[in-house]
Amino acid sequence: MLSTFRSLHRPLLSRFTRLLCFVALALFAATVRAQAGELPSVVLHYGADAPLTAMKAFDIAVVEPDHGFDPVAYRGQGRSELFAYVSVGEVHPTRPYAARIPEAWRIGRNPAWKSLVIDQAQSAWPAFFAEQVIAPLWARGYRGFFLDTLDSYHLVNGVDVVAQQQGMVAVVRQLRSRFPGIRLIFNRGFELLPDLRSEVYAVAAESLYRGWDAKKKRYVEVGQADRDWLLGQLLAARDKYGVTAIAIDYVAPAARELARDTARRIHAHGIVPYVTDGDLRHLGVGLVEVLPRKILFLYNSREAARVNVSSAHRYAEMPVNHLGYAADYVDVNQPLPDTVPAAEYAGVVSWFDGYVPPARATVLARWMAARIAEGTRLAVFGSFGFEPAGDFLREAGLASVAPGRGRLDIASADPSIGFESPPIPERGRLERIRVDVDAARRLLTVSDADGKRYDAVAQMPWGGFALHPFAIRVLPLEEAQTRWIVEPFAFIRDALALPPLPVPDTTTLSGRRMFFAHIDGDGFASRAEMKGRRLAAEVLLDDVLKRYTVPHAMSVIEIETSAQGPYAKDSAEMEAVARRMFALPHVEIASHSYTHPFYWDSVERGEAKRALQGYSLAPEGYVPSLEREIAGSVNYIRSRLAPPGKPVGLMLWTGDAAPTEAALDMVERLGMVQMNGGYTVASRLYPSLAAVSALGTWQGRRFHVHAPIMNENVYTNLWTGPFYGFERVTETFDFTDRPRRLKPINIYYHTYSASKQAALEALHKVYRHALAQPVHPVYPSEYVRIAMNFNDVVLARTLDGERYRVRNAHHLRTLRLPRELGVPDLPASPGVGGFRDGGEGRYVHLTADEAELRLAAVDPHLPMLADANARVLSATRDGERYRFELRAHVPLEFALANAERCSVSADGRALAAQRRDGGLTHYRLSAHAATIELRCRLA
């Protein structure tokens, strides 16, 4: 809790005192900008579910320590520090130390919080507080503390105020003596400052402009007199006693613009602002604002039992990912969240192929109406999930229309309609509604024979809807294909009013498109249909892996290669080949399971379920288990095949490649990462964004990473031919690169591709196509970590709007910057190593987990790294000298921009350019790592 007394014992202000406050404000206004650079950003969140990752955007994060947070793990290598909330003047009976407080020390009660008021004048209280309250938190790693209830003694009639204040001074001095380096933030306690000069880090106070009336449960504007008094106290604390002043104000969670405006008003005084909700359970606005990177996805488990087969996931999640947002799924058959916090969610996407169960339809309609009323934006695909009526129609600005009669025609269509397929009306799927507000933008209207009009696609003041059959269309082909009718990126962006922001990017690293290859072990026992009848695995080793010395992951299926499997007679030969593969320095080791199960949910249940294709290597009577399939196969590879010390770090899912949460948990416990699944097959034969999968699938708390591009099994019609069909994957590489780069280049195939000459030649064509491009080779496990990091990279914006703050970018090191935001101001952007122009904007290279990105309207054309096939480990700029470190998995290649007047050296030796084109100067080294230095004449 924070102090209950938000204007307690405020002395009466004279007009003269008020005048002095305003004079002081005027004097300091000119220096606020300079001070702002020194002020710490502060966040307070008292929930057990505090979003610690997002809170790292702030310098100080105050939490309730009883929720079990780990301040040491939180601190890590970052700059943010957890502070523990601690009540000094009161103790709640539930605190573990409450029972040890003598009865004589309990001098009153606070009925609002059901807590005990403690006598601060007791001589033994400072030592008790230090040992019983602070010492356990100090042992856990807390080094900063937010001291609350410093004025609770006012609750007790007849108390000796001076003695209470001196007792609190003694508490602080005891803490300073007992815990060297401790940092203390007071919540109020202004009267203690004269005795504690230089011993307090900061002083906070609540409700400078806006407050929370706990009794009436409403947000209020603070009166002028209260505001003037509190402002005077905060300014005095800052200017007279030299402590940082913090003001904590309160607004409704959905009132985001009001929160920003209030924070700016506070900051104008040179005071650290933090504006949040009355319960301190949502992220608020301070000197920085964490930008929401999640979108709530609604799906109906009665239509799709698992998220990965829902229409929301199959179609809408990929565009949402590309726009920079992660999906958070909620099943409408389960309780819906009470609110959708604007600080964490950019909006809601729903996709229903029909109506939800009747018992949930009313709940869903009310929930959607409530979200519209509170200002949450919605993008609705397919169906609302219920027949729109009554209150929902009114709240949504819609009206019902009588059933259509006769022929249906397209009455009007925006140019964005017909993106991949023209709209074709279907009477049986027509939603009988029309737009009933002027502020809407109708994108597609259908009319019947009587002239009645039905709006099927529209952008509304609250979001937008694209209803069946006008969102997507399934073509009546032998093999079903889907086409988008609306342009999904623009539709979702406009419906959710998504602003242009730097986007965490999973396709590009150091300005180049990522490349990797991974191989499922299927067919290891196959004999190549070529001279010598060697193992296909040996052909793969000699003809592919040894030729293309770029990062690969190679896997085996244990029962296929082991002496206990159906190919026991060839086991020794296969294991010898596997050992040679795994010994290659550019090959990382993966498991492809024990028996290659097709259905991982069946494995979790211990059911032996055969796939329709009939492919199974399971021995007779085998009862499958996650332990045997995952951990058992990993142990086999480690003990029999892997070189000493080389890890088995990757699990490549088999069959339907749809692991359960329990399977993902097991991989996590083994210290591994995992991948496979998805269905990205877009090509000239299937030219649709609907054939590009999302980054991965959420299974409960765990994220399953998809293979970026599908394997040769699909391109060869499930390995029935033509066996050269995999060469068409190059079309998929091209489709997912232009006009939008949606995926890295991923060559994904099986061992059996080396069993047929046509398939092997197709492989070589694919490698040549990929490696002829300027790519950045990474290991598959690196890509997986980048993809997983996408979900928790933190992006924040400073209150003045001039800078973006990046946190938690442990693996993902690229931001895609929309052109309308400008260009990076490199000298003013620590943690940014350069950028490269691309089709959708600029790919910005990050050099560290944390970065600050300041933007400029005009490119100053400074010498910089444009692209490299290596990670940028650091970059520094000192006048005319520019230095950066590169580390790659292959011989170094990099390009510099604006380096015409620069001399370049690598590890201290002069380096000559390979070529110059398009304003870039290109370099190449045989080394895999180097420190590059430029000395430039900039004048």
Side-chain angles (χ1 to χ4, degrees):
M1 66 180 175
L2 288 177
S3 176
T4 310
F5 313 103
R6 297 186 178 171
S7 58
L8 184 66
H9 290 276
R10 175 183 55 80
L12 295 174
L13 255 75
S14 67
R15 291 183 179 178
F16 178 71
T17 305
R18 293 182 191 176
L19 178 61
L20 285 179
C21 288
F22 287 116
V23 170
L25 175 60
L27 289 173
F28 285 105
T31 61
V32 163
R33 182 172 294 274
Q35 292 170 341
E38 303 170 6
L39 293 177
S41 54
V42 178
V43 57
L44 298 92
H45 196 296
Y46 292 166
D49 58 347
L52 296 187
T53 300
M55 291 164 70
K56 287 189 175 185
F58 296 84
D59 300 310
I60 292 171
V62 181
V63 296
E64 168 52 68
D66 280 2
H67 292 319
F69 305 124
D70 183 346
V72 176
Y74 176 89
R75 190 179 299 123
Q77 301 299 316
R79 306 173 192 176
S80 187
E81 182 81 16
L82 277 189
F83 273 52
Y85 168 90
V86 177
S87 175
V88 181
E90 300 177 25
V91 175
H92 199 276
T94 58
R95 296 288 183 180
Y97 52 84
R100 296 190 288 273
I101 296 176
E103 192 66 35
W105 298 6
R106 308 179 184 198
I107 60 174
R109 291 183 175 276
N110 181 346
W113 294 103
K114 298 181 177 61
S115 54
L116 306 169
V117 179
I118 305 302
D119 184 359
Q120 302 296 303
Q122 292 288 335
S123 60
W125 170 245
F128 180 96
F129 186 80
E131 296 305 323
Q132 299 294 320
V133 181
I134 300 300
L137 298 175
W138 187 269
R140 285 168 51 188
Y142 284 100
R143 296 296 180 263
F145 298 85
F146 184 92
L147 303 185
D148 195 16
T149 62
L150 298 177
D151 47 11
S152 293
Y153 55 82
H154 288 298
L155 280 169
V156 183
N157 293 327
V159 75
D160 184 338
V161 171
V162 173
Q164 295 297 310
Q165 292 174 356
Q166 288 305 308
M168 288 194 173
V169 170
V171 167
V172 172
R173 287 184 173 152
Q174 176 79 17
L175 299 182
R176 297 271 297 171
S177 172
R178 172 72 173 77
F179 306 105
I182 193 171
R183 289 199 292 172
L184 302 174
I185 298 176
F186 283 5
N187 187 25
R188 290 184 174 254
F190 300 118
E191 63 278 5
L192 308 181
L193 294 180
D195 292 321
L196 294 171
R197 191 184 296 267
S198 79
E199 296 187 66
V200 180
Y201 173 70
V203 172
E206 301 166 75
S207 307
L208 181 59
Y209 282 96
R210 307 197 71 87
W212 168 248
D213 187 328
K215 291 183 179 179
K216 297 182 179 178
K217 301 292 183 185
R218 63 190 181 96
Y219 294 94
V220 297
E221 186 170 5
V222 176
Q224 186 68 48
D226 286 343
R227 182 184 309 151
D228 292 345
W229 178 83
L230 185 56
L231 179 60
Q233 295 293 315
L234 289 168
L235 293 178
R238 184 193 69 190
D239 304 329
K240 188 174 181 180
Y241 301 109
V243 302
T244 298
I246 303 168
I248 304 163
D249 276 26
Y250 301 94
V251 303
R256 213 61 185 163
E257 194 51 52
L258 177 59
R260 295 184 190 107
D261 180 66
T262 304
R264 292 186 191 104
R265 295 174 74 184
I266 294 169
H267 185 217
H269 300 291
I271 295 170
V272 176
Y274 187 64
V275 185
T276 185
D277 66 291
D279 292 326
L280 290 99
R281 305 246 171 198
H282 297 289
L283 277 179
V285 178
L287 285 176
V288 298
E289 178 185 0
V290 175
L291 301 174
R293 289 202 52 245
K294 291 192 294 186
I295 290 175
L296 192 73
F297 269 57
L298 299 182
Y299 80 105
N300 179 7
S301 62
R302 302 289 181 88
E303 293 177 345
R306 298 179 68 182
V307 164
N308 62 300
V309 295
S310 67
S311 292
H313 169 74
R314 292 174 61 197
Y315 304 121
E317 190 173 347
M318 183 280 290
V320 161
N321 290 162
H322 187 69
L323 292 168
Y325 298 87
D328 186 6
Y329 280 86
V330 172
D331 178 8
V332 293
N333 297 291
Q334 301 298 321
L336 298 173
D338 294 334
T339 186
V340 180
E344 300 174 45
Y345 293 90
V348 176
V349 168
S350 69
W351 195 310
F352 305 119
D353 294 323
Y355 291 169
V356 304
R360 300 298 297 170
T362 301
V363 173
L364 178 60
R366 288 174 179 166
W367 188 88
M368 282 190 169
R371 301 292 75 75
I372 291 172
E374 74 181 9
T376 300
R377 296 190 70 87
L378 282 71
V380 177
F381 288 97
S383 162
F384 286 100
F386 51 85
E387 185 174 0
D391 292 341
F392 176 80
L393 285 175
R394 286 188 289 275
E395 194 66 57
L398 302 172
S400 61
V401 183
R405 192 182 68 82
R407 177 189 172 95
L408 296 178
D409 292 301
I410 303 298
S412 64
D414 185 85
S416 64
I417 302 298
F419 174 61
E420 293 177 344
S421 181
I424 300 174
E426 297 177 23
R427 180 180 304 283
R429 306 184 78 187
L430 184 67
E431 195 73 69
R432 296 185 295 106
I433 60 168
R434 62 176 174 82
V435 170
D436 201 29
V437 290
D438 293 335
R441 185 161 64 98
R442 296 171 176 84
L443 301 181
L444 179 66
T445 300
V446 175
S447 62
D448 73 350
D450 295 333
K452 293 192 295 292
R453 296 200 165 208
Y454 308 84
D455 293 313
V457 184
Q459 295 288 355
M460 304 294 291
W462 48 262
F465 59 85
L467 304 178
H468 285 321
F470 301 111
I472 59 171
R473 182 180 176 218
V474 178
L475 302 184
L477 302 176
E478 182 178 346
E479 291 188 10
Q481 292 190 10
T482 304
R483 300 288 188 270
W484 278 96
I485 295 173
V486 299
E487 202 274 52
F489 300 103
F491 180 84
I492 293 171
R493 183 193 63 224
D494 293 347
L496 300 184
L498 301 176
L501 294 173
V503 172
D505 187 273
T506 60
T507 70
T508 301
L509 191 57
S510 306
R512 291 185 170 204
R513 192 179 185 188
M514 283 188 285
F515 161 90
F516 66 90
H518 75 286
I519 306 162
D520 288 349
D522 311 47
F524 214 94
S526 299
R527 293 289 172 176
E529 298 171 7
M530 308 167 199
K531 186 178 179 180
R533 297 290 293 174
R534 292 187 298 161
L535 285 171
E538 188 174 19
V539 174
L540 177 65
L541 170 64
D542 292 338
D543 238 37
V544 179
L545 292 180
K546 288 182 178 180
R547 178 182 298 191
Y548 305 108
T549 55
V550 290
H552 285 73
M554 182 68 211
S555 66
V556 296
I557 303 167
E558 177 187 343
I559 203 167
E560 186 174 17
T561 59
S562 76
Q564 285 71 45
Y567 308 106
K569 64 181 179 63
D570 294 327
S571 173
E573 184 182 3
M574 287 189 287
E575 288 189 339
V577 172
R579 291 187 192 102
R580 290 161 58 200
M581 287 175 162
F582 293 157
L584 293 174
H586 62 282
V587 172
E588 66 177 358
I589 306 174
S591 169
H592 201 44
S593 80
Y594 169 49
T595 67
H596 197 283
F598 198 88
Y599 301 107
W600 283 90
D601 55 344
S602 296
V603 173
E604 183 177 336
R605 294 191 299 269
E607 297 174 359
K609 185 177 179 182
R610 184 178 291 269
L612 294 176
Q613 293 91 334
Y615 178 57
S616 176
L617 294 172
E620 192 69 31
Y622 169 65
V623 178
S625 72
L626 295 177
E627 179 72 27
R628 184 64 186 90
E629 291 293 342
I630 301 172
S633 64
V634 169
N635 288 336
Y636 161 74
I637 296 169
R638 285 174 178 161
S639 63
R640 297 281 304 168
L641 307 178
K646 190 168 184 177
V648 184
L650 181 63
M651 181 71 195
L652 297 176
W653 301 112
T654 61
D656 66 355
T660 63
E661 184 177 7
L664 295 169
D665 273 338
M666 179 164 290
V667 172
E668 177 81 11
R669 288 197 302 273
L670 291 171
M672 301 168 64
V673 294
Q674 43 70 37
M675 180 176 64
N676 269 359
Y679 196 72
T680 297
V681 295
S683 65
R684 287 200 290 267
L685 295 179
Y686 195 164
S688 175
L689 292 171
V692 181
S693 292
L695 188 61
T697 305
W698 284 100
Q699 297 294 347
R701 301 168 295 107
R702 298 294 186 195
F703 188 67
H704 159 217
V705 177
H706 290 165
I709 310 290
M710 273 306 285
N711 58 54
E712 86 284 36
N713 197 43
V714 175
Y715 293 86
T716 60
N717 299 306
L718 304 183
W719 200 238
T720 62
F723 295 109
Y724 57 80
F726 192 44
E727 63 187 30
R728 288 194 300 108
V729 77
T730 59
E731 299 172 17
T732 307
F733 296 163
D734 295 343
F735 187 97
T736 54
D737 190 37
R738 295 181 297 273
R740 298 174 182 85
R741 183 171 293 174
L742 302 173
K743 299 290 180 182
I745 294 177
N746 169 210
I747 303 179
Y748 169 28
Y749 57 99
H750 299 80
T751 309
Y752 55 65
S753 266
S755 69
K756 295 181 182 294
Q757 190 66 46
L760 188 60
E761 290 177 3
L763 265 184
H764 289 308
K765 286 183 180 179
V766 171
Y767 274 95
R768 287 195 296 269
H769 175 92
L771 296 176
Q773 303 177 43
V775 295
H776 184 136
V778 298
Y779 282 98
S781 62
E782 289 181 277
Y783 168 76
V784 171
R785 290 185 171 93
I786 288 169
M788 295 178 75
N789 196 188
F790 171 85
N791 294 306
D792 56 14
V793 167
V794 178
L795 186 65
R797 184 171 48 212
T798 55
L799 188 59
D800 58 15
E802 294 181 355
R803 285 173 295 141
Y804 291 95
R805 182 173 286 187
V806 183
R807 295 291 183 267
N808 210 51
H810 299 303
H811 305 284
L812 189 152
R813 293 294 178 83
T814 298
L815 298 178
R816 190 176 70 250
L817 187 67
R819 283 192 175 80
E820 59 262 43
L821 291 182
V823 296
D825 182 348
L826 295 175
S829 299
V832 176
F835 62 88
R836 177 68 192 263
D837 284 341
E840 284 187 277
R842 298 179 170 93
Y843 292 103
V844 179
H845 328 320
L846 304 182
T847 65
D849 297 1
E850 300 187 350
E852 304 278 333
L853 177 61
R854 184 183 288 273
L855 301 175
V858 179
D859 187 350
H861 297 290
L862 292 174
M864 67 166 187
L865 176 67
D867 69 54
N869 66 351
R871 274 188 179 263
V872 190
L873 302 183
S874 67
T876 57
R877 193 179 296 271
D878 181 13
E880 296 185 339
R881 182 178 297 180
Y882 174 46
R883 183 187 181 99
F884 55 90
E885 292 180 83
L886 298 177
R887 185 176 64 205
H889 300 304
V890 293
L892 282 174
E893 297 176 357
F894 64 94
L896 301 174
N898 313 312
E900 296 83 0
R901 297 167 63 86
C902 302
S903 61
V904 180
S905 64
D907 294 331
R909 285 184 254 182
L911 188 62
Q914 292 286 313
R915 71 181 194 281
R916 291 181 172 86
D917 59 56
L920 299 180
T921 308
H922 299 265
Y923 297 84
R924 183 176 300 162
L925 294 111
S926 59
H928 289 202
T931 297
I932 310 300
E933 185 171 301
L934 281 68
R935 293 175 181 264
C936 307
R937 300 188 308 278
L938 301 180

